[in-house]
Amino acid sequence: MRVLRLVIVLMLAISSPAAAEAPKVAVFDFELLDTSLQGAANGPQADEQRRLKDVSQQLRNALTQSGNFVVLDIGPVSAAAQASNLQSCGGCDVEYARKLGADLSITGLVQKVSALILNMNIYLRDVHTGKQITAMSADFRGNTDESWSRAMSYLIRNRLLAPNYGAPH
């Protein structure tokens, strides 16, 4: 009986597609585009800069915990990435991610429209082709730790970890 079970297990292992390795992803720190009157008057705010780091780490943690991705350390390219505007540098994020050995690059942008209205965007690119795979966005209200975290949770749950990254089939 044990031999039969072993044969069945081996047959299933051989006949099922090989488990693909989880894609390696470089998740860059989110950037802030502050188009609010408050931002124009007061400049960058320490709490918002901290929130950018917090949601970036929240995303890295969620992707790691999902088991669907191998999240790479961006440390070796972090200074160059932070000195670039990743949303308008013509794909420099792909070059940085390539240097890390990544398959995917994730960048993000939070746009602050006003003290109340914000928008979180995530962009996912294929490092091998340089093409954007998908983009996702969530509007949220309230410039608080909780509102930022909830917007990120929504995008992770309903887009990044959804089949086909939540894109229509």
Side-chain angles (χ1 to χ4, degrees), residues 2 9 35 45-46 69 71-72 124 138:
R2 273 194 282 181
V9 168
T35 57
Q45 300 297 302
F69 301 91
V71 178
L72 301 175
L124 180 68

Side-chain angles (χ1 to χ4, degrees), residues 44-52 54 143-145 148:
Q45 300 297 302
D47 60 338
E48 293 166 348
Q49 297 305 310
R50 179 187 45 76
R51 285 187 195 113
L52 290 170
D54 290 349
N143 192 5
T144 66
D145 292 353
W148 285 53

Side-chain angles (χ1 to χ4, degrees), residues 99-111:
K99 288 179 183 176
L100 299 171
D103 300 306
L104 301 170
S105 169
I106 295 179
T107 61
L109 176 74
V110 174
Q111 180 182 8

Side-chain angles (χ1 to χ4, degrees), residues 49-114:
Q49 297 305 310
R50 179 187 45 76
R51 285 187 195 113
L52 290 170
K53 292 197 180 309
D54 290 349
V55 295
S56 300
Q57 193 58 48
Q58 179 183 352
L59 176 56
R60 288 183 191 103
N61 291 344
L63 294 180
T64 298
Q65 290 169 0
S66 76
N68 296 336
F69 301 91
V70 174
V71 178
L72 301 175
D73 175 17
I74 63 164
V77 297
S78 184
Q82 288 176 0
S84 305
N85 179 339
L86 296 177
Q87 305 312 314
S88 64
C89 65
C92 64
D93 63 298
V94 170
E95 292 304 316
Y96 299 141
R98 189 173 289 133
K99 288 179 183 176
L100 299 171
D103 300 306
L104 301 170
S105 169
I106 295 179
T107 61
L109 176 74
V110 174
Q111 180 182 8
K112 181 179 173 185
V113 179
S114 71

